[in-house]
Amino acid sequence: MRLPNGYGGVVNLGKRRRRPFAARITAGWTDEGKAIYKYIGYYSKKAEALQALAEYNSNPYDIDSRNLTFEEIYNMWAKRELKDVSKSKLACYRTAFANCPSVHNIKIKELKASHMQKVIDGCKKRSQSTLNNIKILFNQVCKFALENDFINKDYSQFVSVSNTNTKKIKNEFSENEIAVLWENTDNFYIRFALILIYTGFRISELLQIKTENVDLEKGSVRGGLKTKAGINRIVPIHKKIQPFIEELYNPENTYLYSDSGKPFKYQYVKINFINALNKLNIKHTPHECRHTTATLLDRYGANPITIKKILGHSTQDLTSSVYIHKNLEELKKAINLIP
């Protein structure tokens, strides 16, 4: 069927092409009377080209804008949307864009879900936040393109990100490893590790303990962060680490671990902790000290509610959380079950 005048047309550009059929319209005429064409797109089948031509005529758009690449659309979007965002958010978007170079030069009208999914699946940086940021970038740029008639359909909504957050297995210190630690207590960070094991404090919690919350006479420490049950809890001092706490205790210091009036820095302590253990051929993270506390308390018969009280875990049932109270003597008896 002959197409109407001014409607445009479909031409076959040759069999050697992967997409030989082109949909085009007449945009003007040369001085010699020859037609000037603008191409809507290229297609593998004639029916696809006719469909694209029909869509253009039902809702005409700026063909030149449809030929803009993903990178060009990103730059337009960024100029409008990123001018007032925080530095950290700006850095996230810029990093996400840098992580998808394979789509930078693809025309926005030709960008499909498969292109974007391939970027996410093939990204070498596999952290959950990195992959999520790439997907968010695709969503935002495609939304902008759709709002401005650069595309007819947003394919980014079909892109998915799998959960890459796999929990690391935590291994408690063996009793042989703990025995090795006790043989090397001349090292400051080995003593630090033993205090973690025999209190159940997180490394950040131990570093934030204030001297005023250490009661050497009663044998207890008040501290804790993170959860409602864990904040400001009472932890008994095991008899074996009492000398270490006494050595650290200085009423003139604000913090038990004090450095010029401020608490020790987390990363500095963590690095020295790991280095000290490595010299003894022991491989553990600081948090595995806390995991060891729970394991040892359970192994040597501490009451489950007492274990939760020491570690700062919440008790879910009404009886445990309201009616059962563990005083300091009961907590000390439990902690001293650990040999």
Side-chain angles (χ1 to χ4, degrees):
M1 183 180 294
R2 183 180 177 83
L3 298 175
N5 290 334
Y7 189 86
V10 172
V11 293
N12 189 335
L13 300 176
K15 294 181 180 181
R16 293 180 179 273
R17 294 174 175 263
R18 184 167 60 88
R19 292 179 294 176
F21 296 96
R24 67 186 186 183
I25 62 167
T26 302
W29 303 89
T30 67
D31 293 338
E32 292 77 24
K34 292 184 178 181
I36 300 172
Y37 297 110
K38 281 192 176 182
Y39 287 81
I40 296 170
Y42 302 89
Y43 308 89
S44 57
K45 297 179 180 179
K46 185 176 181 179
E48 294 173 349
L50 287 169
Q51 178 64 30
L53 188 62
E55 290 175 358
Y56 170 81
N57 279 281
S58 65
N59 185 25
Y61 53 81
D62 182 356
I63 293 176
D64 291 334
S65 69
R66 293 291 180 103
N67 289 322
L68 294 174
T69 64
F70 176 82
E71 181 174 10
E72 290 171 322
I73 299 296
Y74 164 80
N75 289 331
M76 294 169 64
W77 166 80
K79 187 176 181 180
R80 189 184 80 174
E81 300 295 334
L82 300 184
K83 58 183 178 180
D84 296 321
V85 302
S86 65
K87 289 183 179 180
S88 60
K89 194 170 185 179
L90 179 62
C92 286
Y93 280 122
R94 286 178 173 174
T95 301
F97 179 75
N99 282 327
C100 56
S102 62
V103 301
H104 287 182
N105 294 320
I106 295 179
K107 291 179 180 179
I108 194 67
K109 67 179 181 182
E110 297 173 359
L111 186 66
K112 299 294 188 287
S114 59
H115 296 122
M116 293 178 273
Q117 191 66 58
K118 189 175 181 180
V119 169
I120 290 175
D121 293 344
C123 184
K124 293 181 179 179
K125 298 179 180 179
R126 301 304 300 168
S127 73
Q128 193 71 50
S129 60
T130 296
L131 300 182
N132 287 340
N133 287 337
I134 294 173
K135 185 179 187 305
I136 291 170
L137 176 70
F138 286 147
N139 292 153
Q140 293 297 318
V141 173
C142 288
K143 180 183 177 183
F144 174 83
L146 188 65
E147 289 173 348
N148 289 276
D149 292 327
F150 298 145
I151 55 176
N152 293 325
K153 186 173 183 179
D154 176 7
Y155 288 99
S156 70
Q157 62 184 305
F158 304 111
V159 176
S160 62
V161 176
S162 60
N163 188 351
T164 63
N165 288 332
T166 55
K167 290 187 176 180
K168 295 181 180 179
I169 298 174
K170 295 181 178 64
N171 298 309
E172 70 272 11
F173 285 71
S174 69
E175 296 197 13
N176 286 336
E177 288 174 329
I178 295 173
V180 172
L181 296 182
W182 281 112
E183 293 170 0
N184 291 273
T185 55
D186 55 320
N187 185 294
F188 179 87
Y189 290 98
I190 296 302
R191 296 196 297 276
F192 183 87
L194 286 166
I195 291 174
L196 289 175
I197 290 173
Y198 282 82
T199 61
F201 279 125
R202 299 175 179 87
I203 185 173
S204 56
E205 291 177 327
L206 184 54
L207 295 178
Q208 290 294 325
I209 289 174
K210 292 187 176 181
T211 306
E212 64 185 22
N213 291 328
V214 178
D215 192 327
L216 294 175
E217 185 177 343
K218 291 184 178 180
S220 67
V221 177
R222 183 184 291 275
L225 307 167
K226 197 170 183 179
T227 65
K228 183 179 179 180
I231 292 173
N232 209 29
R233 67 186 184 274
I234 295 293
V235 174
I237 300 175
H238 191 287
K239 58 188 178 183
K240 293 181 73 172
I241 63 166
Q242 178 90 14
F244 302 158
I245 304 296
E246 291 176 352
E247 178 188 8
L248 292 165
Y249 186 84
N250 183 344
E252 295 183 1
N253 291 335
T254 303
Y255 296 95
L256 189 63
Y257 283 93
S258 183
D259 180 17
S260 301
K262 297 180 180 180
F264 281 24
K265 291 184 178 180
Y266 176 93
Q267 286 299 330
Y268 177 79
V269 173
K270 182 179 179 180
I271 290 169
N272 282 282
F273 170 97
I274 292 172
N275 288 340
L277 264 61
N278 284 341
K279 289 179 180 179
L280 301 177
N281 199 30
I282 296 175
K283 309 291 184 182
H284 286 288
T285 64
H287 192 73
E288 287 175 332
C289 293
R290 178 173 165 85
H291 186 68
T292 303
T293 311
T295 301
L296 292 176
L297 285 169
D298 179 69
R299 182 180 299 164
Y300 290 103
N303 183 288
I305 303 302
T306 304
I307 296 174
K308 289 184 177 182
K309 291 288 185 180
I310 291 172
L311 296 175
H313 291 164
S314 63
T315 50
Q316 300 299 324
D317 61 281
L318 184 65
T319 303
S320 297
S321 60
V322 178
Y323 298 112
I324 296 179
H325 300 278
K326 296 293 180 184
N327 61 30
L328 178 58
E329 288 307 312
E330 288 178 291
L331 296 178
K332 288 174 72 173
K333 187 183 295 184
I335 201 71
N336 282 303
L337 289 172
I338 302 175

